[in-house]
């Protein structure tokens, strides 16, 4: 079993001017390489979150914070209202069951 404080090595797959395909690097090394090209482009914690649960790192994981695609679902008023008003009955059988449960005995 790996030590709790052991550094995690993540294999790199892809093309990058400073990284070799198939080599293993730590998250700190990935952060240092990204910040050499453009200072303060990515933080250690951000890269750690992107690589969580992944077996290898790709060039798309090394993009700066500004250019990385973000999920904006639920952050504007229209999306929150759409989620709030959506039906929680997922399929036909649940809708039929809800109809009959509302019938008075």
């Amino acid at each position: 079993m790996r030590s709790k404080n052991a550094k995690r090595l993540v294999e790199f797959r892809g093309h990058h001017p400073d990284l070799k395909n198939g080599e293993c690097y730590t998250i700190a090394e990935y952060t240092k390489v990204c910040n050499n090209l453009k200072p303060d482009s990515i933080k250690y914690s951000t890269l750690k979150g992107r690589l969580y649960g992944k077996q290898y790192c790709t060039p798309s994981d090394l993009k700066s914070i500004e250019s990385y695609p973000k999920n904006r679902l639920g952050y504007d008023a229209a999306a929150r209202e759409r989620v709030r008003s959506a039906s929680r009955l997922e399929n036909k059988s649940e809708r039929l069951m809800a109809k009959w449960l509302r019938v008075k005995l």
Side-chain angles (χ1 to χ4, degrees), residues 53-70:
K54 291 187 177 181
Q55 294 181 354
Y56 56 89
C57 177
T58 60
S60 63
D61 294 326
L62 302 177
K63 290 182 180 178
S64 65
I65 296 169
E66 296 85 24
S67 63
Y68 196 77
K70 296 177 184 173

Side-chain angles (χ1 to χ4, degrees), residues 89 93-103:
L89 303 175
S93 63
E94 287 182 357
R95 288 190 291 273
L96 181 67
M97 181 176 59
K99 176 183 171 184
W100 285 103
L101 286 174
R102 276 190 242 114
V103 173

Side-chain angles (χ1 to χ4, degrees), residues 3-60:
S3 173
K4 181 179 177 182
N5 296 326
K7 294 184 179 185
R8 181 171 172 239
L9 293 174
V10 183
E11 182 183 349
F12 180 74
R13 291 189 185 171
H15 301 289
H16 193 274
D18 297 330
L19 302 172
K20 294 179 183 176
N21 188 21
E23 289 284 324
C24 293
Y25 300 96
T26 63
I27 297 173
E29 291 170 333
Y30 283 123
T31 307
K32 188 185 295 184
V33 167
C34 292
N35 289 334
N36 282 344
L37 299 174
K38 183 179 175 188
D40 297 328
S41 65
I42 192 167
K43 293 183 179 179
Y44 177 88
S45 59
T46 303
L47 194 54
K48 184 178 177 183
R50 288 182 190 174
L51 297 177
Y52 179 78
K54 291 187 177 181
Q55 294 181 354
Y56 56 89
C57 177
T58 60
S60 63

